[in-house]
Amino acid sequence: MTSGEDQAVPGGMRGKGPDTEERSGRVDEWTSGSGASETTGQPVAARASETAELPGASGASDGAEAASALDRSDSGVVHSSTPPLVHSGVLRLAVDKPLRQLSAQDEAILLARGRASDAAVEEAVRVIVSDVRRRGDEALRSLARRFDRVDLREIEVPAEACRAALAELDPAVRAALERAAANIAAFHRAQLPPPLEVEVEPGVRLGRRAEPLRRVAVYAPGGRAAYPSSVLMGVVPARVAGVEEVVVCSPPGPDGRPPATVLAACALAGADRVFALGGAGAIAAVAYGTATVPRVDKVVGPGNAYVTEAKQQLNGILATDCPAGPSEVLILADDSADPEILAAEVIAQAEHDPDAASVLVGTDAAVLDATRTRLAALLGEQPRRDIVEASLAARGAFLLADTLADAIAFNNRYAPEHLLVMVRHPRAALERLRHAGSIFLGASSSVAFGDYMTGANHVLPTAGLARAYPGLSTLDFLRWYTYQEVDRAAAARMSGDVQVLALAEGLPGHALCARLRAAEEPQAAARAPEEGENGRVGEWGKLRQGVPTLPHSPTPPLGSERPGLSAAQASRTAPASRTAIPLRAAYRDIDLYDPQRTPVDVDLSDNTSLFGAPPAGMAALRALADARITRYPPVYADELKRVLAERHGVAPENIVTGCGSDDVIDSAIRAFCEPGDVVAYPDPTFSMLPWFARMNAARPWPVPTEVGFDLDDHALLSAHARITYLCNPNNPTGTVLSSERVRRVTAEATGVVLIDEAYADYGPPGTSLAASAAASVGTVVLRTLSKVFGLAGLRVGYAIGPAALVREIEKSRGPYKISAAAEAVALAALAGDGEWAAANVRTVRESRARLARELEALGGRVWPSGANFVLWQAPPAGEPGRAAELARALKARGVAVRAFSGLPHAGDCLRVSVGPWPLMERFLEAARPALSGGGSAVIGEK
């Protein structure tokens, strides 16, 4: 974030926040050089620390001096050339006239902003960078003593200090930062690019992928004011991008550490390491690395002229964002705009620093006049009035445009950092706007909201660079690579053209490589040279003789082939057959789901009900009218939704149905995830969850469970996932997750939380969140009739959640997902089979406890379960492949179970569905001899 007294620097990126003021104090001379200090007469190089009184080196204030808005004499002494802004009721602006009357001088003031260079700044930074490279930590401590007036006991701030600052932070400030961080994460997560793969012609597959940078530094300015928002704007997008290590550098205060709010923001955003370093020295430290400070791949974040200059000098040693420049806003207004709001927005931008630019372009003279009046009145209330006055007198403008089109055309030339559109139809204007760092649409969309809270990044291009540069984004923390795959047939087809181009460029080695790919036997293409009419021609001569030279192609008949290709070229690049249709890259590594189930006498592999079909449900199925079969079912199963809503005490609009709860999971991922979004989940869990994520081009993000299979809530939350999935009780472990941890995830997750309660009826009372999901912000609870009500074959699932989320899932799911037969049976079972289902649940609980005792007596641990299955560690423990071996042996005896190999904390295990005790006895009768037997395994499903 650029400070309130930042010098004019080459245009670039800047950040937002409260601005600092210069501190008084003596400055030791750092080095000799040209250019006197504007305030002390000392060499400017002596003040090249980014302290409040020293813009540039170490950082007590990232504010450069206000002198850049003033004229300098040849001697380097500052002389004010700006009269008071308000004098005898007259508003002093740099330019105040009709747009069509702008002179060349006016345009120079408005358009050539923020591009001055300062040789003294360049030299000062060069000295600092060289010293840090040479002396490392010693130089950093010296800079802190000279410019921050502090002896750095620790260059690195301990992580516990950041956590303590967060714990002690004012609750209101913390809540605001958490809200801002959540919005930043949500917006920047949506920017994650999906993998791209195309087949440009049959057999030629090209791809492009993004990988996160390994280590980046985020620079957070400092001084008397603190800038926690700048920490969030850098660290959160880096985390979303998947950067392995994120470090923060921020200037130390009197206690040798950055302000507590900055440290708290570092902890909140997830910074890995924090260093009490500012200014050019900080940039040099992360560029070269020191004994304490790691070298990074890229540094981002706003700062003053010295930070900007250091980034420019070190660009190439590390990657940097665009240079920082003074803040700016351009406001487009018509006769509907409120002069009070216009005046406030002008002040809000001008108060940043004297070089800030605030331009109002209006189409109504009365609105401009009223804004001048309100601006003059509001100025008297401003504590930073002097800065506002200097800013408006140097870079402020009120311009009267004849039409909105003229105003838009001027904006596209000006290319502001911020563009506020206060016209009747801002969305319509948006289509004609081309150049701006960020556009704020409508009177309610204050630039201040973007500075702190909306989630868009406030590090934006200034000084007209919005014509070519974007603001800071997730993409800044990624690097791209491409890959190429050419099959043999495509290589043969491509070989001739490549040889032609290679020889045309005089690169016969390239041509040989192409020819080798065309040959049926590559070795034959590189055989020994042969005699020719010009002596020993060999392979190179053959290449030249065998490949036609580039001909002069006559213009082909209009429409006879692809544009820009000769007929021969068109024939070579035309698809060989209609079968070579490009397929989705995301599906390339996805196989068809195959549980490999075969009929057995006792199937305990799939966790379905072992008690038969529900009596009332079956009666309804037998009585189903012919019309229920021949006609389409209700579009969204409204009657079933009504009954389920009554069952859970919610409204029907809080219920969405699906073809099994896994259909709802799939629909939810599709509804809420853009390609590349993260779906986080405890590992192990329901095996189809990562499969659904990949199906929808999302990124599965497994988070290992703790010992005992409880979830690691901190790790899950740190994933900043678009969707966080919890299965409770979990599958395949049966673990009832900690209620406290589950509630923390639902309260603090930045995205949607899906809680799969397929087995909740078998668990302890009070663990379900179904009753509270409807009133939540982002929690959706999944339920099914497959287990307790025995309707797995009819595939009836549903979810409970906030109406807004349910509607999005319903859009994604589509119509007619519950068949008429399924709905009729489900309604009858819900109405008449409740006691039957409850009795079965009691039986499962009794059999589960008894089975656990029996299995432990056979050897191997049984984990506590709240589901209709148990997880049994295949004895003897620690023997790889033991679970599959036992499963095969059991299947040979007519019993199917699900084998899991190498589960974390458990090793090889068998999951056994639980039902009536006679079936459990059949399993135990097969298990006892199977402990030393063989057979073939079966893989079940959820």
Side-chain angles (χ1 to χ4, degrees):
M1 155 179 335
T2 307
S3 81
E5 286 76 33
D6 208 2
Q7 288 180 323
V9 294
M13 312 275 283
R14 76 176 302 281
K16 295 292 172 280
D19 304 301
T20 61
E21 298 177 356
E22 292 192 314
R23 290 192 322 211
S24 61
R26 186 177 67 82
V27 181
D28 294 331
E29 183 173 331
W30 176 247
T31 181
S32 61
S34 62
S37 163
E38 293 88 343
T39 57
T40 69
Q42 293 175 327
V44 172
R47 306 178 62 255
S49 145
E50 204 176 2
T51 60
E53 73 280 6
L54 301 167
S58 91
S61 152
D62 286 275
E65 298 148 67
S68 55
L70 306 173
D71 294 331
R72 294 175 183 154
S73 70
D74 292 340
S75 65
V77 178
V78 177
H79 299 283
S80 174
S81 63
T82 305
L85 180 65
V86 181
H87 179 68
S88 301
V90 179
L91 185 65
R92 302 291 185 183
L93 296 164
V95 182
D96 189 354
K97 61 175 61 175
L99 184 60
R100 64 178 179 275
Q101 295 179 9
L102 288 184
S103 65
Q105 181 179 0
D106 296 331
E107 292 199 350
I109 292 172
L110 296 173
L111 301 180
R113 59 199 187 277
R115 297 176 188 171
S117 62
D118 192 321
V121 172
E122 293 177 13
E123 178 59 24
V125 170
R126 189 171 291 109
V127 171
I128 292 169
V129 168
S130 176
D131 191 47
V132 171
R133 183 180 187 183
R134 180 169 51 89
R135 296 196 298 133
D137 288 350
E138 183 182 351
L140 296 175
R141 290 190 171 93
S142 178
L143 287 168
R145 285 192 297 271
R146 289 177 181 271
F147 302 128
D148 296 309
R149 308 289 198 280
V150 65
D151 285 316
L152 284 182
R153 299 185 305 276
E154 301 168 311
I155 292 176
E156 181 170 3
V157 179
E160 50 269 27
C162 296
R163 290 192 292 268
L166 181 60
E168 297 167 5
L169 191 62
D170 181 293
V173 176
R174 176 168 182 165
L177 288 176
E178 288 175 341
R179 182 178 182 182
N183 289 346
I184 294 167
F187 183 60
H188 288 76
R189 190 180 298 110
Q191 300 169 19
L192 284 166
L196 177 149
E197 184 170 304
V198 295
E199 194 167 18
V200 295
E201 58 182 81
V204 181
R205 288 175 289 276
L206 308 180
R208 185 174 188 246
R209 294 196 177 190
E211 291 292 330
L213 299 175
R214 189 175 70 86
R215 182 187 289 139
V216 301
V218 174
Y219 187 83
R224 283 188 176 179
Y227 304 98
S229 61
S230 286
V231 173
L232 300 186
M233 293 293 176
V235 176
V236 173
R239 279 289 173 226
V240 167
V243 173
E244 182 178 327
E245 185 177 6
V246 183
V247 305
V248 173
C249 293
S250 192
D255 64 349
R257 291 177 178 173
T261 52
V262 169
L263 299 182
C266 291
L268 179 66
D272 294 293
R273 302 175 72 181
V274 180
F275 298 93
L277 299 172
I283 307 303
V286 297
Y288 291 113
T290 72
T292 303
V293 183
R295 180 174 182 173
V296 303
D297 301 315
K298 186 170 187 175
V299 61
V300 303
N304 72 356
Y306 292 83
V307 170
T308 297
E309 178 61 28
K311 288 181 181 180
Q312 291 174 332
Q313 290 188 18
L314 291 164
N315 192 20
I317 304 299
L318 79 174
T320 67
D321 53 2
C322 198
S327 182
E328 54 193 46
V329 68
L330 188 144
I331 307 172
L332 296 181
D334 62 13
D335 60 351
S336 67
D338 183 343
E340 184 87 13
I341 293 177
L342 294 174
E345 292 288 344
V346 167
I347 289 174
Q349 206 62 217
E351 71 177 353
H352 277 289
D353 67 79
D355 274 335
S358 302
V359 177
L360 171 60
V361 185
T363 60
D364 186 83
V367 169
L368 292 183
D369 288 341
T371 304
R372 289 187 190 91
T373 301
R374 290 306 306 144
L375 180 55
L378 289 172
L379 267 173
E381 308 167 3
Q382 303 305 311
R384 302 175 68 86
R385 173 176 175 170
D386 290 346
I387 294 173
V388 175
E389 289 179 345
S391 170
L392 294 180
R395 298 286 179 187
F398 276 32
L399 306 174
L400 177 62
D402 292 332
T403 66
L404 182 58
D406 291 338
I408 290 173
F410 178 77
N411 170 83
N412 291 339
R413 293 178 62 207
Y414 189 88
E417 177 191 19
H418 306 101
L419 170 59
L420 175 55
V421 184
M422 291 183 58
V423 299
R424 276 192 179 81
H425 305 293
R427 283 275 179 177
L430 178 64
E431 301 306 314
R432 299 154 65 187
L433 294 165
R434 293 292 176 266
H435 301 142
S438 189
I439 301 175
F440 297 77
L441 299 175
S444 300
S445 304
S446 173
V447 175
F449 294 153
D451 286 348
Y452 294 106
M453 193 57 63
T454 62
N457 210 291
H458 73 201
V459 182
L460 299 168
T462 64
L465 288 180
R467 283 187 294 272
Y469 286 90
L472 194 67
S473 74
T474 308
L475 302 184
D476 285 285
F477 301 98
L478 302 172
R479 64 170 184 85
W480 295 90
Y481 67 86
T482 61
Y483 59 91
Q484 308 174 46
E485 183 180 29
V486 182
D487 67 24
R488 292 179 64 89
R493 293 193 304 270
M494 191 175 286
S495 174
D497 281 347
V498 172
Q499 291 177 65
V500 168
L501 294 176
L503 292 176
E505 293 189 351
L507 299 172
H510 287 63
L512 176 61
C513 289
R515 181 163 181 167
L516 288 171
R517 266 60 175 192
E520 291 185 3
E521 296 182 7
Q523 297 86 350
R527 60 184 179 272
E530 300 175 0
E531 290 291 335
E533 60 180 358
N534 295 321
R536 301 191 62 81
V537 177
E539 193 61 36
W540 311 115
K542 288 177 62 182
L543 281 170
R544 291 188 176 277
Q545 294 172 356
V547 178
T549 59
L550 288 171
H552 172 70
S553 301
T555 303
L558 191 64
S560 63
E561 64 277 311
R562 289 166 52 188
L565 298 180
S566 69
Q569 290 169 328
S571 67
R572 284 196 296 268
T573 58
S577 70
R578 190 72 177 89
T579 59
I581 296 175
L583 304 177
R584 285 187 64 184
Y587 275 40
R588 195 171 294 277
D589 298 325
I590 299 177
D591 294 324
L592 291 174
Y593 180 68
D594 181 11
Q596 301 179 18
R597 296 177 60 204
T598 55
V600 291
D601 291 340
V602 179
D603 193 340
L604 308 180
S605 70
D606 61 4
N607 301 344
T608 53
S609 174
L610 300 174
F611 295 90
M618 286 302 296
L621 183 62
R622 286 189 289 268
L624 198 66
D626 291 351
R628 300 294 299 277
I629 302 298
T630 60
R631 304 300 300 271
Y632 288 115
V635 179
Y636 291 109
D638 289 341
E639 179 61 15
L640 180 58
K641 287 172 63 173
R642 184 190 64 77
V643 171
L644 291 170
E646 289 181 357
R647 180 180 181 86
H648 291 283
V650 299
E653 54 264 31
N654 296 117
I655 300 288
V656 57
T657 58
C659 184
S661 59
D662 49 358
D663 176 44
V664 183
I665 295 171
D666 176 37
S667 300
I669 295 174
R670 189 162 52 252
F672 302 124
C673 286
E674 300 289 347
D677 276 350
V678 168
V679 177
Y681 54 92
D683 183 35
T685 195
F686 177 34
S687 61
M688 288 184 69
L689 192 278
W691 193 72
F692 283 136
R694 289 193 295 270
M695 278 176 54
N696 291 287
R699 290 191 294 167
W701 195 276
V703 175
T705 53
E706 296 183 347
V707 174
F709 295 120
D710 205 353
L711 60 89
D712 184 340
D713 50 335
H714 293 281
L716 276 171
L717 289 169
S718 68
H720 298 292
R722 189 69 182 91
I723 288 180
T724 301
Y725 170 89
L726 306 177
C727 187
N728 191 28
N730 196 15
N731 175 18
T733 64
T735 308
V736 178
L737 304 178
S738 161
S739 296
E740 180 182 352
R741 296 186 182 191
V742 170
R743 291 186 185 279
R744 180 169 183 255
V745 170
T746 60
E748 299 183 20
T750 56
V752 176
V753 179
L754 300 181
I755 302 181
D756 190 343
E757 295 187 353
Y759 306 100
D761 293 306
Y762 302 102
T767 57
S768 172
L769 294 183
S772 60
S776 72
V777 174
T779 299
V780 176
V781 170
L782 305 153
R783 302 298 293 258
T784 181
L785 302 187
S786 296
K787 314 301 180 186
V788 170
F789 283 94
L791 301 184
L794 290 177
R795 311 296 294 129
V796 182
Y798 63 100
I800 309 153
L805 299 189
V806 162
R807 182 171 177 80
E808 294 304 301
I809 297 173
E810 210 151 46
K811 290 179 190 176
S812 172
R813 191 210 68 172
Y816 305 122
K817 288 301 177 76
I818 300 290
S819 71
E823 183 179 28
V825 174
L827 289 169
L830 289 168
D833 290 320
E835 287 299 322
W836 173 84
N840 293 340
V841 168
R842 289 192 294 270
T843 299
V844 166
R845 290 172 175 166
E846 293 167 0
S847 295
R848 186 177 66 201
R850 185 176 175 184
L851 180 62
R853 293 192 296 269
E854 295 282 352
L855 291 176
E856 287 183 335
L858 292 176
R861 178 179 177 182
V862 177
W863 271 264
S865 174
N868 66 339
F869 59 84
V870 295
L871 187 70
W872 177 36
Q873 187 178 49
E879 184 176 311
R882 182 59 173 157
E885 179 185 352
L886 282 176
R888 287 192 296 269
L890 286 166
K891 189 173 183 180
R893 291 166 173 77
V895 178
V897 296
R898 174 75 180 264
F900 290 88
S901 298
L903 285 180
H905 319 306
D908 276 22
C909 294
L910 296 176
R911 190 189 66 192
V912 184
S913 300
V914 176
W917 189 249
L919 291 179
M920 302 298 95
E921 286 186 323
R922 288 281 307 277
F923 161 65
L924 290 169
E925 289 169 359
R928 292 183 183 100
L931 287 174
S932 58
S936 57
V938 61
I939 298 178
E941 58 186 15
K942 180 177 175 179

